[in-house]
Amino acid sequence: MINTNEILKKYDIRLTKTLGQNFLTDINIIRKIVNEGELEPSDFVLEIGPGIGSMTCEIAKKAGRVVAVEIDKRLIPALEETLSDFSNVTLINEDIMKLDLNSMTGDWKGSLKVISNLPYYITTPIIMMLLESEIEWDTLIFMVQKEVALRMAAVPGTKDYSSLSVAVRYYSEPKLCFTVSRNCFIPKPEVDSAVVKLKKRELPYLKDVDKEFFFKIVKASFSQRRKTLLNSLGTQPWLEGGKNTLKETLGILNLKETVRAEELSLQDFANLAKTLAQHGSGV
Ligand code: SAM
């Protein structure tokens, strides 16, 4: 088993907050996260931010191929040591946001999964990049701050429901797996974490909705979440016909004039996007 403190000492590595370096030290939690992946030899796994490789080893025991992308070059010698027994792991010293993901997965025929204890400073950009990417991912498993996990898995009508919840549901079926105490990390972060699993899905009613326009509507609707839709979305300069058209659209869709963004399901947003596009507001 990997002893995080020993390895950090051996390679004289001081962890840095700027790169979101909170390393998991509890092997039971690591195995629990990896188990959520239901890994098979036919699986390709991308791990973002392997750290010193504690989770990478557990992934490599089960998956066919593993690519681990670590931005911090100081960690590479330690990673090479902890991963030396595994011939199915490729290490890449790069910023995940700068990589061409397609070229990495090549012509792999099996499932593509991503497992990551995400660096906190860049959680949402990485999640959005993967959700929107062209790569054919099947499952995404992320450990994130508990508050972000709750937003990702939230349903309409709850306080955590946000534009992130809508984006997650647009691409996937989310599951809040379990929470992880801040005591399981070195150094100890200020908040607890949670693991979320996203299974890719395609919803038939989204097929004929313009994606760009859909997200423009979602973003504008949640921009002032305490306001009604008429006062958030309805006041956008790009909305043809402004509040009047929106009022009419809400009527067509059997939605109250006082409705707020947090009450609308993914399908409601899809219907809004389709109907408003017919009024000429589409991008
Ligand atoms: N996987 C390890 C674990 O669970 O103990 C480390 C997780 S730590 C929360 C996040 C890791 O992501 C760090 O090793 C950090 O250096 C790395 N990282 C931060 N930003 C990155 C980026 N843009 N691209 C790739 N790796 C990054």
Side-chain angles (χ1 to χ4, degrees):
M1 213 177 76
I2 293 173
N3 184 317
T4 309
N5 275 327
E6 256 175 34
I7 295 195
L8 294 176
K9 203 167 161 205
K10 178 173 171 186
Y11 288 93
D12 195 22
I13 297 164
R14 285 175 70 93
L15 297 181
T16 146
K17 213 173 174 175
T18 33
L19 287 176
Q21 290 178 337
N22 299 98
F23 289 2
L24 252 179
T25 52
D26 185 327
I27 188 67
N28 294 318
I29 299 289
I30 292 173
R31 291 193 177 132
K32 228 172 136 181
I33 297 172
V34 175
N35 281 344
E36 286 293 338
E38 300 172 75
L39 300 179
E40 304 279 344
S42 57
D43 290 336
F44 181 114
V45 178
L46 164 65
E47 188 194 4
I48 301 162
I52 54 161
S54 323
M55 193 147 75
T56 326
C57 289
E58 298 303 313
I59 297 170
K61 286 179 194 168
K62 297 182 168 181
R65 224 84 167 83
V66 185
V67 171
V69 180
E70 174 56 60
I71 197 170
D72 188 349
K73 73 170 187 309
R74 300 173 310 150
L75 295 170
I76 303 300
L79 274 167
E80 280 166 353
E81 179 185 328
T82 50
L83 300 173
S84 58
D85 287 344
F86 299 99
S87 57
N88 57 342
V89 181
T90 305
L91 264 179
I92 301 180
N93 179 206
E94 219 353 321
D95 177 346
I96 189 66
M97 300 304 282
K98 293 189 179 148
L99 269 186
D100 171 8
L101 298 183
N102 269 321
S103 70
M104 217 166 53
T105 53
D107 51 5
W108 186 262
K109 296 280 181 290
S111 295
L112 168 61
K113 298 175 177 174
V114 178
I115 304 183
S116 176
N117 171 11
L118 285 174
Y120 291 166
Y121 77 100
I122 196 175
T123 304
T124 314
I126 293 179
I127 294 172
M128 289 311 297
M129 181 272 286
L130 286 164
L131 286 175
E132 291 169 355
S133 86
E134 308 268 288
I135 58 165
E136 291 290 324
W137 57 268
D138 162 87
T139 308
L140 307 176
I141 296 170
F142 297 125
M143 177 143 76
V144 292
Q145 290 186 353
K146 189 174 164 192
E147 165 243 330
V148 178
L150 293 176
R151 281 203 284 129
M152 288 170 73
V155 294
T158 61
K159 74 170 175 29
D160 294 311
Y161 191 60
S162 63
S163 53
L164 179 64
S165 329
V166 178
V168 163
R169 278 176 198 280
Y170 182 96
Y171 297 99
S172 71
E173 181 63 47
K175 174 187 148 197
L176 192 59
C177 304
F178 51 89
T179 55
V180 179
S181 157
R182 65 194 81 179
N183 296 320
C184 299
F185 300 85
I186 292 178
K188 182 168 144 179
E190 276 149 30
V191 291
D192 292 329
S193 294
V195 175
V196 198
K197 176 173 175 173
L198 311 182
K199 285 290 286 177
K200 174 93 141 217
R201 65 146 184 227
E202 273 166 31
L203 293 166
Y205 61 80
L206 290 172
K207 275 214 171 79
D208 48 348
V209 176
D210 183 282
K211 192 155 103 177
E212 205 183 320
F213 187 51
F214 173 90
F215 281 110
K216 198 170 170 183
I217 286 183
V218 171
K219 227 172 134 194
S221 304
F222 279 103
S223 61
Q224 291 156 297
R225 62 177 292 138
R226 303 185 75 95
K227 290 193 174 177
T228 62
L229 213 64
L230 277 183
N231 288 322
S232 53
L233 176 61
T235 53
Q236 298 299 316
W238 47 264
L239 191 77
E240 286 289 326
K243 280 190 182 184
N244 286 339
T245 302
L246 184 57
K247 236 185 232 176
E248 203 183 300
T249 305
L250 292 175
I252 297 169
L253 301 177
N254 280 327
L255 293 168
K256 296 175 298 188
E257 278 187 18
T258 53
V259 77
R260 290 167 207 272
E262 67 207 43
E263 298 169 78
L264 297 180
S265 67
L266 188 69
Q267 180 137 31
D268 290 328
F269 278 114
N271 292 339
L272 260 178
K274 269 193 249 182
T275 316
L276 289 172
Q278 284 158 11
H279 277 85
S281 286
V283 283

